[in-house]
Amino acid sequence: QSVLTQPPSVSAAPGQKVTISCSGSSSDIGNNYVSWYQQLPGTAPKLLIYDNNERPSGIPDRFSGSKSGTSATLAITGLQAGDEADYYCGTCDTSLSAGHWVFGGGTKLTVL
Amino acid sequence: EAQLLESGGGLMQPGGSLRLSCVASGFSFSNFAMNWVRQAPGKGLEWVSVISGSSNTIYYADSVKGRFTISRDNSRNTLYLQMNSLRAEDTALYYCAKGEFVVPAAMGGLDVWGQGTTVTVSS
């Protein structure tokens, strides 16, 4: 059972917007930066969003992140078939250590 | 371009030992904390361990504490994971992942991942 809670799956049509939630507690999301990872089928995870809402270079602005209290959200606009993947949120649990990472269980995005 | 390449995975019997390696290139290895993250077949990501750039700070997940040892050789740009007393539940794809700072932190995320090496524990 994962520390952070994500919906197992979400779906939307091409061109639409989808959001993926990530719920935690005051010791993890509530007290630390959140990052999001995209895992395309058969590949390694890739950093999509860091520090709650920052995009690494090369990540299109269709992807955005936000955080409020003990929850975080990933939004994807203008959905494309190539966005079909598993998405994970992650942060560190400060009640354990500064570097003790915890992840959500992952959300499978289906583009209809 | 920063890259990570894991190796050392394989099929092991329960109770056995294995050492994973992760060779880094394209960045100043000693300046960054490094992590091991694993993914059991069909499951999500599970963080395993982290080591700071100077090896001064090390943390482990409870599930591997006392059995796994993380280390690094900055002269060889290589991260290691010594895995002892292996169990069936250790079966997973093991990734190494780079932190954004010399000390472990959530800030910056895990910005570079290797392709993973597979560990299977079965009799």
Side-chain angles (χ1 to χ4, degrees):
Chain A
Q1 187 170 351
S2 302
V3 172
L4 307 180
T5 301
Q6 298 180 234
S9 63
V10 295
S11 62
Q16 297 299 304
K17 174 183 178 180
V18 70
T19 61
I20 298 173
S21 60
C22 176
S23 178
S25 69
S26 58
S27 65
D28 40 65
I29 292 179
N31 198 29
N32 223 325
Y33 293 99
V34 176
S35 47
W36 289 90
Y37 303 87
Q38 177 192 58
Q39 187 173 34
L40 296 168
T43 69
K46 173 185 174 182
L47 180 64
L48 203 60
I49 297 288
Y50 67 96
D51 295 357
N52 305 328
N53 55 17
E54 300 292 333
R55 285 186 308 275
S57 60
I59 301 299
D61 59 6
R62 300 188 299 106
F63 296 90
S64 64
S66 63
K67 187 186 104 168
S68 178
T70 60
S71 294
T73 301
L74 173 70
I76 310 173
T77 59
L79 269 177
Q80 302 175 359
D83 296 332
E84 277 209 347
D86 293 323
Y87 293 84
Y88 296 90
C89 57
T91 187
C92 290
D93 188 331
T94 55
S95 70
L96 298 172
S97 73
H100 190 119
W101 280 85
V102 290
F103 293 100
T107 299
K108 182 176 182 60
L109 168 63
T110 299
V111 180
L112 301 171
Chain B
E1 178 190 3
Q3 292 187 332
L4 299 171
L5 183 63
E6 303 94 335
S7 62
L11 174 61
M12 297 300 298
Q13 292 192 339
S17 296
L18 202 58
R19 188 176 83 157
L20 307 184
S21 300
C22 168
V23 177
S25 61
F27 64 97
S28 183
F29 183 67
S30 62
N31 286 345
F32 298 97
M34 295 295 296
N35 297 262
W36 286 100
V37 178
R38 68 185 181 183
Q39 186 170 33
K43 301 297 184 181
L45 302 176
E46 180 189 14
W47 175 79
V48 173
S49 183
V50 63
I51 184 169
S52 63
S54 60
S55 302
N56 286 347
T57 301
I58 289 174
Y59 300 124
Y60 297 98
D62 286 347
S63 58
V64 306
K65 197 175 298 181
R67 301 187 299 120
F68 290 9
T69 301
I70 192 172
S71 63
R72 63 191 297 161
D73 183 341
N74 288 342
S75 68
R76 297 177 182 267
N77 289 346
T78 303
L79 173 72
Y80 302 101
L81 185 68
Q82 178 66 43
M83 310 166 66
N84 298 332
S85 302
L86 283 165
R87 304 168 179 169
E89 53 264 36
D90 295 320
T91 294
L93 183 59
Y94 284 73
Y95 296 102
C96 60
K98 171 186 165 291
E100 184 62 15
F101 297 95
V102 68
V103 295
M107 187 184 296
L110 301 175
D111 63 344
V112 182
W113 296 65
Q115 88 294 339
T117 187
T118 299
V119 173
T120 303
V121 183
S122 175
S123 55

